[in-house]
């Protein structure tokens, strides 16, 4: 009887239990098998394709939502992509799974720093000083913080140390080259851009930076070679076409430069750079009256463009009328004086990066000379450090009024007068 019962049990229950065990094993194999999307995400991270990597990690988390490491990686990747709400969500999930850790504390500080909270800077610097394994990631955030504050020497020092560890990192080389340009050390910028091109010969961005710097330092033949390479890859890019036309003019290839500029203006008759270059080319061909036609258009579109004003002034001195020539010369001298003031002010900002008065003056000069996006950015930096600084609010109020944005103009005017803006 006992034997019969044992056989019955094994038939009725053993097979279902065996099936459940097999299903459990299959589920475990499915759950723990390597996910090719995670490997693809890590490759995307190596390329700094943070948005693409984050999309892949979201797919991984659909299968393994309770994986703390995946949640952390997704949060860090979203933060580097600038997706702060998504980053916070993943970091909360990670904390719920495993509790607070030093890595989570650091990641929260990195997100705060990346969002412009300067209070975390001492903590981030202390982690670097302690030899944190995530030092490269910390430097990325510190570098951006320093650039936002125009603390160029500190940003350059971080990039120097970053490049000691990763000497062929193209993004770091381009970043340091950009700082050299801001400091007007163009030969050093050329060297960094050349290193970037050697590291990634197919990198269009590196080639364009190198071509632009070579157009300042020379020789023009090397600039032309870079622009010609770029044109073969980006034939319709107006920046590339204009740069190549300038290089050809400098080399005396005037017919080719003229044709390229005419084609560019045929596609975009309001391209200020092409209009200015076309006028300059006509001047070199001793056709000042024809040059004045293009240069007048450029000045109409960009009244503060120093190069266009200078070349139009040259034309009018040859062709007249005298009153227009004097007016144009006065406007050029004013723009030139503003440029010199801007150069001096930025040098002073380097020495006193927290001086709101200096930074506000830079923003105002930029706004008054047509560099609107950059001028607004400088004034917003001032208000981030000193939210009630009236001259910055007044400058932004005037700018938005001129731009037709009366609502924002009113908000800044009220803040300049000491009243809070209307609630949205």
């Amino acid at each position: 009887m006992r034997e019969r019962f044992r056989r019955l049990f094994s038939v009725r229950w053993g097979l279902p239990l065996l099936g459940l065990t097999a299903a459990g094993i299959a589920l475990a194999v499915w759950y723990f098998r390597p996910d090719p999307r995670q490997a693809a995400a890590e490759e995307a991270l190596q390329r700094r394709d943070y948005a693409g990597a984050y999309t892949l990690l979201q797919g991984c988390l659909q299968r393994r939502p309770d994986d703390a490491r995946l949640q952390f990686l997704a949060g860090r990747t979203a933060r580097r992509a600038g997706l702060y709400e998504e980053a916070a969500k993943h970091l909360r999930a990670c904390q719920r799974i495993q509790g607070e850790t030093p890595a989570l504390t650091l990641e929260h500080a990195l997100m705060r720093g990346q969002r412009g909270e300067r209070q975390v800077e001492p903590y981030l610097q202390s982690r670097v000083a302690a030899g944190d394994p995530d030092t490269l990631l910390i430097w990325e955030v510190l570098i951006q913080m320093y650039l936002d504050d125009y603390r160029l020497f500190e940003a350059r020092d971080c990039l120097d140390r970053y490049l000691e560890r990763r000497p062929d990192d193209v993004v770091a080389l381009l970043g340091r080259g950009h700082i050299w340009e801001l400091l007007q050390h163009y030969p050093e910028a050329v060297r960094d851009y050349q290193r970037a091109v050697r590291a990634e010969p197919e990198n269009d961005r590196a080639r364009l930076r190198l071509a632009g710097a070579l157009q300042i330092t020379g020789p023009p033949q090397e600039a032309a070679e870079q622009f010609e390479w770029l044109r073969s890859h980006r034939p319709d890019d107006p920046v590339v076409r204009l740069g190549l036309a300038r290089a050809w003019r400098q080399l005396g290839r005037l017919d080719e430069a003229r044709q390229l500029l005419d084609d560019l203006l045929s596609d975009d008759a309001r391209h200020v750079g092409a209009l200015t270059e076309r006028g300059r080319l006509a001047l070199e061909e001793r056709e000042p009256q024809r040059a004045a036609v293009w240069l007048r258009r450029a000045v109409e579109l960009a009244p503060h463009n120093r190069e266009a004003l200078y070349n139009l002034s040259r034309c009018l001195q040859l062709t007249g009328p005298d009153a227009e020539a004097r007016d144009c010369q006065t406007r050029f001298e004013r723009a030139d004086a503003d440029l010199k003031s801007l150069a001096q002010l930025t040098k002073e900002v380097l020495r006193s990066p927290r001086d709101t008065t200096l930074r506000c003056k830079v923003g105002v000069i930029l706004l008054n000379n047509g560099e609107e996006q950059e001028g607004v950015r400088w004034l917003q930096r001032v208000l981030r450090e000193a939210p009630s600084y009236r001259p910055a609010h007044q400058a932004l109020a005037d700018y938005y009024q001129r731009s037709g944005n009366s609502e924002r103009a009113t908000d800044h005017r009220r803040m300049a007068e000491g009243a809070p803006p209307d609630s949205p």
Side-chain angles (χ1 to χ4, degrees), residues 368-385:
N368 291 341
N369 284 273
E371 299 289 340
E372 296 177 353
Q373 185 175 359
E374 190 67 12
V376 168
R377 197 156 66 91
W378 272 81
L379 292 171
Q380 287 175 339
R381 289 173 186 163
V382 170
L383 293 175
R384 188 173 60 208
E385 297 291 331

Side-chain angles (χ1 to χ4, degrees), residues 224-249:
E225 289 170 3
Q226 297 300 326
F227 279 118
E228 286 164 356
W229 186 95
L230 285 160
R231 193 186 182 200
S232 70
H233 290 71
R234 298 159 58 171
D236 298 324
D237 188 329
V239 175
V240 172
R241 294 159 77 185
L242 177 58
L244 181 56
R246 283 176 175 161
W248 280 345
R249 175 182 57 76

Side-chain angles (χ1 to χ4, degrees), residues 367 376 379-380 383 391-401 409 412:
L367 285 181
V376 168
L379 292 171
Q380 287 175 339
L383 293 175
H393 282 300
Q394 188 60 57
L396 286 170
D398 294 342
Y399 162 70
Y400 285 122
Q401 192 66 49
H412 281 288

